[in-house]
Amino acid sequence: MTVAGSYSCVTKTPMGPMESTFTVTVDGTSFTGTNTATVGSMDVIDGKVDGQSLTWKMEMTKPMPMKLDCKATITGDQLIGSVKAGVFGSFPMIGTRAG
């Protein structure tokens, strides 16, 4: 099964759970997409695909500017991953394929 698609996600942050829609568009071993939440949208930067595993970066602007390092594994319709926010540590991200 392809990792491409749209996922309804929750990232558990120190500010509480952040719900978002994460879209993945695959092109060979790379991918593009966005992670859209109520606080705004972040584009995928340097998205890589290795089988069912994804790695990418995002640049957060709210509540403060910060580069995020992300990784996830897609198993069936489930996404399990993490978002590393610099000195603030790593936060779990889970999701389910939407539609």
Side-chain angles (χ1 to χ4, degrees):
M1 175 178 255
T2 180
V3 296
S6 180
Y7 298 86
S8 296
C9 295
V10 176
T11 303
K12 296 179 181 175
T13 75
M15 297 171 41
M18 300 294 290
E19 295 181 8
S20 65
T21 300
F22 180 52
T23 59
V24 176
T25 303
V26 175
D27 183 11
T29 58
S30 63
F31 79 97
T32 58
T34 57
N35 196 30
T36 305
T38 56
V39 296
S41 182
M42 295 180 283
D43 291 329
V44 167
I45 300 168
D46 195 29
K48 304 278 188 233
V49 179
D50 183 9
Q52 301 301 107
S53 297
L54 305 174
T55 57
W56 71 100
K57 298 180 186 318
M58 295 184 293
E59 291 186 7
M60 182 174 79
T61 58
K62 294 179 185 176
M64 68 180 71
M66 183 179 308
K67 186 167 275 190
L68 306 175
D69 291 307
C70 311
K71 62 182 177 180
T73 300
I74 311 291
T75 305
D77 290 335
Q78 298 294 312
L79 177 149
I80 298 175
S82 62
V83 177
K84 186 171 188 279
V87 298
F88 296 102
S90 191
F91 311 115
M93 177 181 187
I94 58 171
T96 304
R97 190 181 302 266

